[in-house]
Amino acid sequence: MLDLLFYIFASLTVVPAFLMVTSRSPVTAAMFMIASLVGMACLFVMMDAFFLAILQVLVYAGAVMVLFLFIIMLLDMDEGEDLRTRAIPSMAAMVLGGLILVTILGFFSGKFDDQFPEIQEPAALKLDGSQTLPEVYEKHLPLPYSTKAKTFGYGLFTKYMLPFQVTGVLLLIAMVGVIVLSKRTTDESEGGSAT
Amino acid sequence: MELWQEILLKTGFALGVISVVMGIAAYSVLAERKVSSWIQGRVGPNRTTLPIIGAIPFIGPFLTRLGLFQPMADGLKFLFKEEPVPGHVNKLYYNLAPVVAMVPALTTMVILPFGQIKDSATGVVTPLILANVDVGVLFLFAVSSLGVYGIVLGAWASNNKYSFMGGIRSSAQMISYELTLGLAVLPVLMWANPPGSEGGLSLVNVVNAQGTLWTAIWQPISALLFLVAIFAETNRAPFDMPESETDLVGGFHTEYGAFKFGMFFVAEYAHIVIGSAVFVLLFLGGWHIFPGVADPWPAGYIGAVLSTATFLGKTCCLIFFFIWIRWTLPRFRYDQVMHLGWVILLPIAIANLILNIAIIAVWDKFNG
């Protein structure tokens, strides 16, 4: 049953991803990308990572792709544009992608065969008086392998605080950059308020 | 239980919930027509009748005058009308769009708790819900934000500038008000998760936290922000930019007719039902009947039915509120909608969030 579901969701992820690259109409490509993202969210659900799955749909399918579609429709791109691929860049991309795939497969093959850690919920952790989340952190134990949203939040604000803050600063820089670029100062010709 | 039995049982539950929500949606269409006519001093639908029930003395004419049979007639009309497909549309997306609009509207009800049942022997309280997932509120936002694709696709595939304008407005409006929506809920979730609790983002947890006091009473700013944002997210007046008929003919569904239009129409009302239900759960105490009275019903099935009825009653009141607002307030202009969303609501939402964080921080400092 689970295997069958995996194959269904995996093909839901891979086939639209392929069609997205090959389709000529930008809107169709965007729709295939949404389908692919939703398929990936389904794969996350199969791995009990509900929180990641929901974030995948919420952020990518729900917000980023809406903006993509918005831009595509606003600019009214035609499918007549010549999108012929050039030989050298596509070859380079193929070789690089293949190398990355081989590396990942070589690195992970046989590594996780029978040793998936057991899922521990914070509620279960609390039963043993010494093992609440803050105490797990203070004793430098590994964070519990759990599906609860709370565990993600706890990890982000304790063990992974620095990466979290660095990411936040990066996003802030990106935001400021966009504002600066879009608010380009106009040459004060007529009225001067055209932005 | 065998796997197939479990699947069958779950499917049965899901179909039951869907039929209830769709029933409420169908009758909120009728409510819209009746309430609008009462507000405008008209009578509203009062002719449609059924052969046998309509002939019962007193009751039959009374039901007919209330228009109770009108939704059936409307549904049949949508089903049996000719379905013209204009020649200039993109066929695939034109047909796909109503489905895409409908599916998220029906999917969000999976995480809506609608009551609770207390086991009379053990006293264990179980919420009545299709899927009690830990990430309830996020699931709701994620799936309901997919609903905009139906509108955008339909608008684009119609190949009509009025439809197209409606679609563009819709996507911009959805993105803008989703921010306010999310930020308005955050204080509620923070207060519902005191240190040591295991509730997470589930709506059941939020309702249980309101046993003594409803959130709307002591979080009025969050409630107001959420209410405005949910009006905008469901494309209801005064935010019905995508279909403002005075400047866009019919908006995104200008080119649609018959059953496809019916699907857009029902999806909109399903969104209203779900939105009202979510507001009741987050701010109006869910199935707790009065502020301060936490579910006074007896254990067992009677209590379960009464708690569900409480929840449904509150939801219907809120649906009435939605309709009332539509026939009371004039529509915003599009630039006013954007101004309200980005310049007024979003800063208030952020300030509200920071204020609540500060209060919680001070509270923890002196109490823990």
Side-chain angles (χ1 to χ4, degrees), chain A residues 52-175:
Chain A
L52 272 185
I54 287 303
L55 282 193
Q56 173 92 5
V57 174
L58 185 69
V59 175
Y60 288 100
V64 174
M65 290 312 294
V66 175
L67 279 178
F68 272 34
L69 263 188
F70 188 73
I71 299 300
I72 289 172
M73 288 178 176
L74 210 60
L75 299 182
D76 200 16
M77 293 183 203
D78 288 329
E79 43 190 290
E81 277 176 53
D82 195 7
L83 293 172
R84 204 177 300 129
T85 48
R86 279 162 299 167
I88 295 174
S90 53
M91 281 303 285
M94 251 161 69
V95 171
L96 263 181
L99 276 180
I100 292 173
L101 185 68
V102 168
T103 318
I104 291 173
L105 285 181
F107 187 73
F108 284 122
S109 63
K111 216 168 186 180
F112 289 128
D113 274 354
D114 332 293
Q115 43 173 330
F116 276 113
E118 198 177 330
I119 289 180
Q120 300 170 314
E121 301 300 352
L125 281 171
K126 265 188 82 179
L127 289 177
D128 182 1
S130 63
Q131 292 252 308
T132 59
L133 270 178
E135 284 167 6
V136 165
Y137 177 68
E138 274 164 19
K139 289 180 183 171
H140 299 285
L141 298 172
L143 284 174
Y145 185 74
S146 152
T147 66
K148 293 247 171 183
K150 187 174 184 173
T151 326
F152 282 86
Y154 196 83
L156 275 184
F157 282 99
T158 52
K159 192 172 178 183
Y160 302 105
M161 192 64 197
L162 185 65
F164 182 68
Q165 286 188 339
V166 169
T167 317
V169 171
L170 274 179
L171 286 175
L172 184 68
I173 291 170
M175 208 159 78

Side-chain angles (χ1 to χ4, degrees), chain A residues 28 61 65 70 73 126 149-150, chain B residues 93 134 149 156 164 171 197:
Chain A
T28 313
M65 290 312 294
F70 188 73
M73 288 178 176
K126 265 188 82 179
K150 187 174 184 173
Chain B
Y93 290 125
D134 175 43
Y149 287 117
W156 180 78
F164 189 67
S171 47
S197 73

Side-chain angles (χ1 to χ4, degrees), chain B residues 345-362:
Chain B
L345 289 186
L346 187 61
I348 294 179
I350 295 174
N352 181 38
L353 177 67
I354 293 175
L355 176 74
N356 277 291
I357 292 174
I359 292 174
I360 291 175
V362 173

Side-chain angles (χ1 to χ4, degrees), chain B residues 212-277:
Chain B
T212 48
L213 200 56
W214 294 359
T215 324
I217 295 172
W218 59 282
Q219 288 279 337
I221 303 174
S222 305
L224 188 66
L225 288 170
F226 189 82
L227 193 66
V228 175
I230 206 112
F231 266 89
E233 289 287 305
T234 49
N235 289 330
R236 282 293 291 190
F239 294 99
D240 53 348
M241 286 304 114
E243 50 171 312
S244 71
E245 63 268 11
T246 42
D247 47 343
L248 291 183
V249 191
F252 65 94
H253 54 60
T254 305
E255 301 284 352
Y256 282 88
F259 195 63
K260 295 197 197 76
F261 169 72
M263 283 178 83
F264 275 128
F265 197 60
V266 175
E268 189 195 321
Y269 280 91
H271 272 303
I272 293 169
V273 175
I274 304 276
S276 310

Side-chain angles (χ1 to χ4, degrees), chain B residues 252-320:
Chain B
F252 65 94
H253 54 60
T254 305
E255 301 284 352
Y256 282 88
F259 195 63
K260 295 197 197 76
F261 169 72
M263 283 178 83
F264 275 128
F265 197 60
V266 175
E268 189 195 321
Y269 280 91
H271 272 303
I272 293 169
V273 175
I274 304 276
S276 310
V278 172
F279 188 82
V280 168
L281 290 171
L282 284 173
F283 293 103
L284 296 183
W287 48 83
H288 301 307
I289 186 157
F290 296 119
V293 183
D295 200 48
W297 312 119
Y301 288 107
I302 299 171
V305 170
L306 284 175
S307 70
T308 309
T310 311
F311 169 66
L312 284 182
K314 282 184 191 175
T315 308
C316 289
C317 288
L318 211 66
I319 293 172
F320 171 75

Side-chain angles (χ1 to χ4, degrees), chain B residues 102-255:
Chain B
M102 192 80 180
V103 169
L106 293 184
T107 312
T108 40
M109 69 182 68
V110 166
I111 52 97
L112 287 186
F114 42 83
Q116 61 181 17
I117 182 165
K118 197 192 278 177
D119 198 312
S120 33
T122 55
V124 177
V125 177
T126 318
L128 300 173
I129 183 172
L130 284 180
N132 193 2
V133 285
D134 175 43
V135 288
V137 180
L138 281 181
F139 181 90
L140 185 87
F141 290 159
V143 176
S144 64
S145 69
L146 294 181
V148 70
Y149 287 117
I151 293 174
V152 171
L153 270 186
W156 180 78
S158 293
N159 199 7
N160 168 330
K161 63 181 169 192
Y162 296 115
S163 301
F164 189 67
M165 288 296 293
I168 291 287
R169 286 180 178 187
S170 175
S171 47
Q173 182 181 319
M174 291 284 233
I175 295 168
S176 312
Y177 280 80
E178 235 165 54
L179 296 169
T180 308
L181 195 73
L183 287 175
V185 176
L186 277 180
V188 180
L189 291 174
M190 288 192 310
W191 282 105
N193 281 299
S197 73
E198 296 299 336
L201 302 171
S202 153
L203 282 169
V204 179
N205 176 42
V206 178
V207 174
N208 286 337
Q210 296 178 69
T212 48
L213 200 56
W214 294 359
T215 324
I217 295 172
W218 59 282
Q219 288 279 337
I221 303 174
S222 305
L224 188 66
L225 288 170
F226 189 82
L227 193 66
V228 175
I230 206 112
F231 266 89
E233 289 287 305
T234 49
N235 289 330
R236 282 293 291 190
F239 294 99
D240 53 348
M241 286 304 114
E243 50 171 312
S244 71
E245 63 268 11
T246 42
D247 47 343
L248 291 183
V249 191
F252 65 94
H253 54 60
T254 305
E255 301 284 352

